[in-house]
Amino acid sequence: MSTSKSNVHAHKAEIFCKDESRVDWHSKALWMLREKRDRAAGSLPEWEQLRQIGSEMKLHTLTHLTEYLEEFEKNCTANNIKVHWAKDGAEHNKIVHQILAKHQVKKVVKSKSMLTEECHMNPYLEDRGIEVIDTDLGERIIQLAKMPPSHIVVPAIHMKKEEVGDLFHEKLGTDAGASDPLYLTRAARRHLREQFLSADAAMTGVNMAVADKGAVVVCTNEGNADMGANLPKLQLHSMGIDKVVPDLDSAAVLLRTLARNATGQPITTYSSFYRGPQQGGEMHVIIVDNGRTEMLKDKILAESLKCIRCGGCLNTCPVYRRSGGYSYNYTIPGPIGIAVGAQNDDTNSIPWACTLCGSCSYVCPTKVPLDKIIHHHRRLKSEAGKLPYGKSSYMPLVGKFMASETALNCSMGIARTALKILPGSVLKPFSGAWGKYRELPVAPNSSFEAWFKKNRG
Amino acid sequence: MSSKQDIFNALKSAAITPQAMPCIDIAPRIDDLVGQFEASLNTVAGTLHRDGGLSALQTTVDEHIAKGMQIISMVDGIIGNREVSDTAHELKDIDYAVIPGDLGIAENGAIWVNNKSLGHRVTPFICENLLLVIEAKSIVANMHQAAKLMTLAPGEFGTYIAGPSKTADIEQALVVGAHGACSLNVYLT
């Protein structure tokens, strides 16, 4: 199969894989994060206990969402926070626009929110004359480059410093050819300070919503959420229904694992709790469903809502590291992206962008059974008659073939003989994509069954 | 029907059986809290000043003032050269902010700061450099203990600050000083 305009994962990955040295570099950068994560996790004796509590606590809240969301809204209202509800991305965008329009907002500073990406909010607001400035450095880089994020925690991980240097030279007027990260970051600091100081409103995502306090928690390393939200008088926070936690102690459990699992830091630099607007200001929280209740209807898919978006599963995934974030047809790439996005994937190929190695489930701080969920997606696609191109023609035959002992034994015998007597060049075409980067196996003398009968039977 | 009602109706068809809330009971590591805190603070690029307390801090502040720096102090007994402004935006040229922290957390070097002692909420973020003051006896072992002691009354804002602002968004190279303070020094009293 050659590189084509197809959106199938393998085709898009092929584009990324054209530059082999970049693939190695990408893989290594992410593996570094995985190693830092391992060191941070290993330094806490209670790490596994925290994962277990995190998992159970998220399952508890997910199975009591009505009560906790009700409690959260009630306490927010008592704290002078305005709460809105949105069924989907379109309604979310409409609510945000109405609030901004009412205050005649021209410029909004936004700090990283995968939910607003999921809702495609930026273009919606820009079409209505509102300037949206992404303020996380990585997000700003890709916004200037007019690209979507390629990772949920380090969105510009796919770009080299020389490319960022060229981009900043063009957009921010930095020196031509300058690529020093310190120099570039300082230039971005100056540029973004101007944005913070001139914005009419701020918008952030929500890491946790504390039900019994009516407060939202926002975590950043750069302080962009807080520079944003604490300067203009109007602050908006978008959250999925899955972000609610019962109380401060349960938020503490997740705060202990979130950064350690994302980047290996003991905690993010700023973990801020907003329990009401600043003096004379206004604070809004928009609670969004956008497919989450639908996922809750499936016992296995429901567990993907335990995710706290640390990105640990992306960093460890051998497929993500070697295919890049843009091959997944969804805002969220990697294992968690497959878990929450596969249902909307028109190519039906995304659940196969996985080796089922299980590394993602092993590192997940809330024990989301990612490999199990991805496997389940394959079943769902198959049951819906939506196997991806190619697989739909031969997979049913493979199923029938594997189910028949005679057919299997007979053809394996032929294969063993063929491997022994025919040259590789004749056989290779039969192995398809599998054989592209692999040597054909050495044929054993007999089948395992025959060996077993002879030696152990 | 309201969207809230729609969402709640949809939640009725959720498939997983209700789970109980787990007990959060994790033994804190209570040996040498100050030493643990100092080590954690170092890993998040902050510096602890154990000795000298407020007088050492005032000496530092005076030195900065002599160099023409703009310093705002929210700590009783420490005198800077700037007052709390009418609007938060006016703080944009502050070089150093001196702020009291309520709690220090040994496991991660974070310090809980409540807006009651900030003047404007943006103070610890908009300043170029941050000087935090905490009492040695306010250092607790972990986040679970902090969760029980942190103050966050209705309408308030509070934040755990662990080191200066930082980013590693350009080729994973750690750069200290993104949008918030470029350095953090913590003074123990």
Side-chain angles (χ1 to χ4, degrees), chain B residues 43-74:
Chain B
T43 67
V44 295
T47 308
L48 182 70
H49 301 266
R50 280 181 183 237
D51 306 315
L54 287 185
S55 58
L57 175 56
Q58 184 66 60
T59 310
T60 308
V61 168
D62 291 342
E63 282 166 14
H64 291 317
I65 290 175
K67 285 182 204 150
M69 299 287 177
Q70 298 296 306
I71 300 179
I72 187 167
S73 170
M74 308 306 298

Side-chain angles (χ1 to χ4, degrees), chain A residues 25 32-33 46 49-50 53 56-57 59-60 63-66 69-70 73 79 85-87 91 135-138 141 154-155 157 159-162 164 181-182 184-186 189 192-193 196-197 221-222 224 226-227 230-231 235 246 248-250 252-253 255-256 260 266-278 289 293 296-299 302, chain B residues 1-4 6-8 10-27 40 43-44 88-90 92 107-110 112 120-122 124-128 130 142-145 147-148 150 152-173 175-182:
Chain A
W25 167 82
M32 227 167 71
L33 286 175
E46 64 262 39
Q49 199 187 348
L50 282 171
I53 293 173
E56 288 176 24
M57 190 265 289
L59 275 180
H60 167 72
T63 54
H64 294 79
L65 271 182
T66 313
L69 287 170
E70 203 63 272
E73 183 185 35
N79 295 335
W85 299 81
K87 272 183 292 190
E91 193 178 7
T135 59
D136 170 85
L137 177 58
I141 291 169
V154 277
I157 186 83
M159 282 179 80
K160 300 209 169 188
K161 59 180 193 282
E162 290 77 14
V164 177
L182 177 65
L184 295 174
T185 303
R186 287 285 183 270
R189 176 186 173 92
L192 283 162
R193 285 217 151 201
F196 287 125
L197 288 160
N221 273 322
E222 300 178 6
N224 50 319
D226 303 293
M227 274 294 274
N230 294 320
L231 278 168
Q235 64 187 100
L248 291 175
D249 208 13
S250 25
V253 172
L255 283 175
R256 295 192 73 191
R260 285 188 169 97
I267 187 168
T268 44
T269 302
Y270 305 101
S271 309
S272 299
F273 292 62
Y274 293 86
R275 206 185 171 190
Q278 54 176 302
D289 179 350
T293 50
L296 280 169
K297 289 178 187 164
D298 181 307
K299 223 191 291 191
Chain B
M1 208 184 328
S2 73
S3 294
K4 175 184 172 184
D6 281 345
I7 295 171
F8 279 23
L11 283 172
K12 284 182 193 147
S13 338
I16 20 179
T17 41
Q19 310 272 319
M21 180 68 187
C23 169
I24 303 173
D25 181 20
I26 291 170
S40 301
T43 67
V44 295
H89 293 70
E90 289 167 62
K92 66 180 180 189
E107 65 150 316
N108 54 28
W112 175 250
H120 293 288
R121 289 183 178 190
V122 82
F125 310 103
I126 201 169
C127 61
E128 286 291 314
L130 185 57
N142 61 30
M143 292 299 286
H144 309 294
Q145 296 187 312
K148 288 179 184 69
M150 60 190 267
L152 189 71
E156 284 184 348
F157 162 76
T159 180
Y160 286 101
I161 299 178
S165 158
K166 46 183 123 28
T167 180
D169 270 336
I170 300 176
E171 270 201 27
Q172 288 293 289
V175 176
V176 172
H179 308 298
C182 294

Side-chain angles (χ1 to χ4, degrees), chain A residues 50 100 150 178 354 409:
Chain A
L50 282 171
L100 297 178
S150 83
C354 167
N409 283 341

